[in-house]
Coordinates of all heavy atoms in Angstrom, one line a residue:
R471 N 5.4 -23.9 -47.8 CA 5.1 -25.3 -48.0 C 5.1 -26.0 -46.6 O 4.3 -26.9 -46.3 CB 6.1 -26.0 -48.9 CG 5.9 -25.6 -50.4 CD 6.7 -26.6 -51.3 NE 8.1 -26.6 -51.0 CZ 9.0 -25.7 -51.5 NH1 8.6 -24.8 -52.4 NH2 10.2 -25.8 -51.2
A472 N 6.1 -25.6 -45.8 CA 6.2 -26.3 -44.5 C 5.1 -26.0 -43.6 O 4.6 -26.9 -42.9 CB 7.5 -25.8 -43.8
W473 N 4.6 -24.7 -43.6 CA 3.5 -24.4 -42.8 C 2.1 -25.0 -43.2 O 1.3 -25.2 -42.4 CB 3.3 -22.9 -42.7 CG 4.1 -22.3 -41.6 CD1 5.2 -21.5 -41.7 CD2 3.9 -22.5 -40.2 NE1 5.7 -21.2 -40.4 CE2 4.9 -21.8 -39.5 CE3 3.0 -23.2 -39.5 CZ2 5.0 -21.8 -38.1 CZ3 3.1 -23.2 -38.1 CH2 4.1 -22.5 -37.4
E474 N 2.0 -25.4 -44.5 CA 0.8 -26.0 -44.9 C 0.7 -27.4 -44.2 O -0.4 -27.9 -43.9 CB 0.8 -26.2 -46.4 CG -0.5 -26.8 -46.9 CD -0.8 -26.7 -48.4 OE1 0.2 -26.4 -49.1 OE2 -1.9 -26.9 -48.8
L475 N 1.8 -28.0 -43.9 CA 1.9 -29.3 -43.2 C 1.8 -29.1 -41.7 O 1.2 -30.0 -41.0 CB 3.1 -30.1 -43.6 CG 3.3 -30.4 -45.1 CD1 4.7 -31.1 -45.3 CD2 2.2 -31.3 -45.6
R476 N 2.3 -28.0 -41.2 CA 2.4 -27.8 -39.8 C 1.2 -27.1 -39.2 O 1.1 -27.1 -37.9 CB 3.7 -27.0 -39.4 CG 5.0 -27.7 -39.6 CD 6.1 -26.9 -39.1 NE 5.9 -26.5 -37.7 CZ 6.6 -25.5 -37.1 NH1 7.5 -24.8 -37.8 NH2 6.4 -25.2 -35.8
R477 N 0.3 -26.6 -40.0 CA -0.7 -25.7 -39.5 C -1.6 -26.3 -38.4 O -2.1 -25.7 -37.6 CB -1.5 -25.1 -40.6 CG -2.2 -26.1 -41.5 CD -3.1 -25.3 -42.5 NE -3.5 -26.2 -43.6 CZ -4.4 -25.9 -44.5 NH1 -5.2 -24.8 -44.3 NH2 -4.7 -26.7 -45.5
T478 N -1.8 -27.7 -38.5 CA -2.6 -28.3 -37.6 C -2.0 -28.5 -36.2 O -2.7 -28.9 -35.2 CB -3.1 -29.7 -38.1 OG1 -1.9 -30.5 -38.4 CG2 -3.9 -29.6 -39.3
E479 N -0.7 -28.1 -36.0 CA -0.1 -28.2 -34.7 C -0.5 -27.0 -33.9 O -0.3 -27.0 -32.7 CB 1.5 -28.1 -34.9 CG 2.1 -29.3 -35.7 CD 3.5 -29.1 -35.9 OE1 4.1 -28.2 -35.3 OE2 4.1 -29.9 -36.8
L480 N -1.1 -25.9 -34.5 CA -1.4 -24.7 -33.8 C -2.8 -24.8 -33.1 O -3.6 -25.6 -33.5 CB -1.4 -23.5 -34.8 CG -0.1 -23.3 -35.5 CD1 -0.3 -22.2 -36.6 CD2 1.0 -22.9 -34.6
D481 N -3.0 -24.0 -32.1 CA -4.2 -24.0 -31.4 C -5.1 -22.9 -32.0 O -6.0 -22.4 -31.3 CB -4.0 -23.8 -29.9 CG -5.3 -24.0 -29.1 OD1 -6.1 -24.8 -29.5 OD2 -5.6 -23.2 -28.1
Y482 N -4.9 -22.5 -33.2 CA -5.7 -21.5 -33.9 C -5.6 -21.8 -35.4 O -4.7 -22.4 -35.8 CB -5.3 -20.1 -33.6 CG -3.8 -19.8 -33.6 CD1 -3.2 -19.5 -34.8 CD2 -3.0 -20.0 -32.5 CE1 -1.8 -19.3 -34.9 CE2 -1.7 -19.8 -32.5 CZ -1.1 -19.4 -33.7 OH 0.3 -19.3 -33.8
E483 N -6.7 -21.4 -36.1 CA -6.7 -21.7 -37.5 C -6.0 -20.6 -38.3 O -6.1 -19.4 -38.1 CB -8.1 -21.8 -38.0 CG -8.8 -23.1 -37.6 CD -10.1 -23.3 -38.4 OE1 -10.6 -22.4 -39.1 OE2 -10.6 -24.5 -38.4
I484 N -5.1 -21.1 -39.2 CA -4.5 -20.2 -40.2 C -4.9 -20.7 -41.6 O -5.0 -21.9 -41.8 CB -3.0 -20.1 -40.0 CG1 -2.3 -21.5 -40.3 CG2 -2.6 -19.6 -38.7 CD1 -0.8 -21.4 -40.3
D485 N -5.1 -19.7 -42.5 CA -5.5 -20.1 -43.9 C -4.4 -19.8 -44.9 O -4.7 -19.7 -46.1 CB -6.9 -19.5 -44.2 CG -6.9 -18.0 -44.2 OD1 -5.9 -17.4 -43.7 OD2 -7.9 -17.4 -44.5
G486 N -3.2 -19.4 -44.4 CA -2.2 -19.1 -45.3 C -1.0 -18.4 -44.5 O -1.0 -18.4 -43.3
I487 N -0.1 -17.8 -45.3 CA 1.0 -17.1 -44.8 C 1.0 -15.7 -45.4 O 0.9 -15.6 -46.7 CB 2.4 -17.8 -45.1 CG1 2.4 -19.2 -44.5 CG2 3.6 -17.0 -44.7 CD1 2.5 -19.2 -42.9
V488 N 1.2 -14.7 -44.6 CA 1.3 -13.3 -45.1 C 2.8 -13.0 -45.4 O 3.6 -13.2 -44.5 CB 0.7 -12.3 -44.2 CG1 1.0 -10.9 -44.7 CG2 -0.8 -12.5 -44.0
I489 N 3.1 -12.6 -46.6 CA 4.5 -12.3 -47.0 C 4.6 -10.8 -47.2 O 3.9 -10.2 -48.0 CB 4.9 -13.0 -48.3 CG1 4.4 -14.5 -48.2 CG2 6.4 -12.9 -48.5 CD1 4.4 -15.2 -49.5
K490 N 5.6 -10.1 -46.5 CA 5.7 -8.7 -46.7 C 7.2 -8.4 -47.0 O 8.1 -9.0 -46.4 CB 5.3 -8.0 -45.4 CG 3.8 -8.1 -45.0 CD 3.5 -7.5 -43.7 CE 2.1 -7.7 -43.3 NZ 1.7 -7.1 -42.0
V491 N 7.4 -7.4 -47.8 CA 8.7 -6.8 -48.0 C 9.1 -6.1 -46.6 O 8.2 -5.3 -46.1 CB 8.8 -5.8 -49.2 CG1 10.1 -5.1 -49.2 CG2 8.6 -6.6 -50.5
D492 N 10.2 -6.4 -46.1 CA 10.5 -5.9 -44.7 C 10.8 -4.4 -44.7 O 10.3 -3.7 -43.8 CB 11.8 -6.6 -44.2 CG 12.0 -6.4 -42.7 OD1 11.0 -6.1 -42.0 OD2 13.2 -6.4 -42.3
S493 N 11.5 -3.8 -45.6 CA 11.9 -2.4 -45.5 C 10.7 -1.5 -45.8 O 10.0 -1.6 -46.8 CB 13.0 -2.2 -46.6 OG 13.2 -0.8 -46.8
F494 N 10.5 -0.5 -44.9 CA 9.5 0.5 -45.1 C 9.8 1.4 -46.3 O 8.9 1.9 -47.0 CB 9.3 1.4 -43.9 CG 8.5 0.7 -42.8 CD1 8.6 1.2 -41.5 CD2 7.8 -0.4 -43.0 CE1 7.9 0.5 -40.4 CE2 7.1 -1.1 -42.0 CZ 7.1 -0.6 -40.7
D495 N 11.1 1.7 -46.5 CA 11.5 2.5 -47.7 C 11.1 1.8 -49.0 O 10.5 2.4 -49.9 CB 13.0 2.7 -47.6 CG 13.5 3.4 -48.9 OD1 13.1 4.6 -49.1 OD2 14.2 2.8 -49.7
Q496 N 11.4 0.5 -49.0 CA 11.1 -0.3 -50.2 C 9.5 -0.4 -50.4 O 9.0 -0.3 -51.5 CB 11.7 -1.7 -50.2 CG 13.2 -1.6 -50.3 CD 13.9 -3.0 -50.2 OE1 13.3 -3.9 -49.6 NE2 15.1 -3.1 -50.7
Q497 N 8.8 -0.5 -49.3 CA 7.4 -0.6 -49.3 C 6.8 0.7 -50.0 O 5.9 0.7 -50.8 CB 6.8 -0.8 -47.9 CG 6.9 -2.1 -47.3 CD 6.2 -2.3 -46.0 OE1 5.5 -1.4 -45.6 NE2 6.5 -3.4 -45.3
A498 N 7.4 1.8 -49.5 CA 6.9 3.1 -50.0 C 7.2 3.3 -51.5 O 6.3 3.8 -52.3 CB 7.5 4.3 -49.2
R499 N 8.3 2.8 -52.0 CA 8.7 2.9 -53.4 C 7.8 2.0 -54.2 O 7.5 2.2 -55.4 CB 10.1 2.5 -53.6 CG 11.1 3.6 -53.0 CD 12.5 3.1 -52.7 NE 13.1 2.4 -53.8 CZ 14.2 1.6 -53.6 NH1 14.7 1.4 -52.4 NH2 14.7 1.0 -54.7
L500 N 7.4 0.8 -53.7 CA 6.5 -0.1 -54.4 C 5.1 0.4 -54.5 O 4.4 0.1 -55.5 CB 6.6 -1.5 -53.7 CG 7.9 -2.2 -53.9 CD1 8.0 -3.4 -52.9 CD2 8.1 -2.7 -55.3
G501 N 4.6 1.0 -53.4 CA 3.3 1.6 -53.5 C 2.2 0.5 -53.5 O 2.4 -0.6 -53.1
A502 N 1.0 0.9 -54.0 CA -0.2 0.0 -54.0 C -0.9 0.2 -55.3 O -0.8 1.3 -55.9 CB -1.1 0.3 -52.8
L503 N -1.8 -0.7 -55.6 CA -2.6 -0.6 -56.7 C -4.0 -1.0 -56.3 O -4.3 -2.1 -55.8 CB -2.2 -1.6 -57.8 CG -3.1 -1.7 -59.1 CD1 -3.0 -0.3 -59.8 CD2 -2.7 -2.8 -60.0
H504 N -5.0 0.0 -56.4 CA -6.3 -0.1 -55.9 C -6.4 -0.6 -54.4 O -7.1 -1.5 -54.1 CB -7.1 -1.1 -56.8 CG -7.1 -0.8 -58.2 ND1 -7.4 0.4 -58.8 CD2 -6.7 -1.6 -59.3 CE1 -7.3 0.4 -60.1 NE2 -6.8 -0.8 -60.4
E505 N -5.6 0.1 -53.6 CA -5.5 -0.1 -52.2 C -5.0 -1.5 -51.8 O -5.0 -2.0 -50.7 CB -6.9 0.0 -51.5 CG -7.5 1.4 -51.7 CD -6.6 2.5 -51.0 OE1 -5.9 2.2 -50.1 OE2 -6.7 3.7 -51.5
R506 N -4.4 -2.2 -52.8 CA -3.7 -3.5 -52.5 C -2.2 -3.3 -52.7 O -1.7 -3.0 -53.8 CB -4.2 -4.6 -53.5 CG -5.7 -4.9 -53.3 CD -6.2 -5.9 -54.4 NE -7.6 -6.2 -54.2 CZ -8.0 -7.3 -53.6 NH1 -7.1 -8.1 -53.0 NH2 -9.3 -7.5 -53.4
P507 N -1.5 -3.4 -51.6 CA 0.0 -3.1 -51.6 C 0.7 -4.1 -52.5 O 0.5 -5.3 -52.5 CB 0.4 -3.3 -50.2 CG -0.6 -4.2 -49.5 CD -1.9 -3.9 -50.2

Side-chain angles (χ1 to χ4, degrees):
R471 287 195 303 272
W473 269 112
E474 185 165 14
L475 299 176
R476 288 186 58 196
R477 57 174 161 164
T478 55
E479 298 172 13
L480 302 174
D481 190 36
Y482 44 88
E483 286 197 343
I484 62 175
D485 58 357
I487 298 293
V488 175
I489 313 162
K490 299 176 183 176
V491 172
D492 188 30
S493 165
F494 284 164
D495 173 67
Q496 291 176 340
Q497 288 184 11
R499 288 156 57 193
L500 290 165
L503 180 64
H504 307 307
E505 300 299 334
R506 295 175 179 265

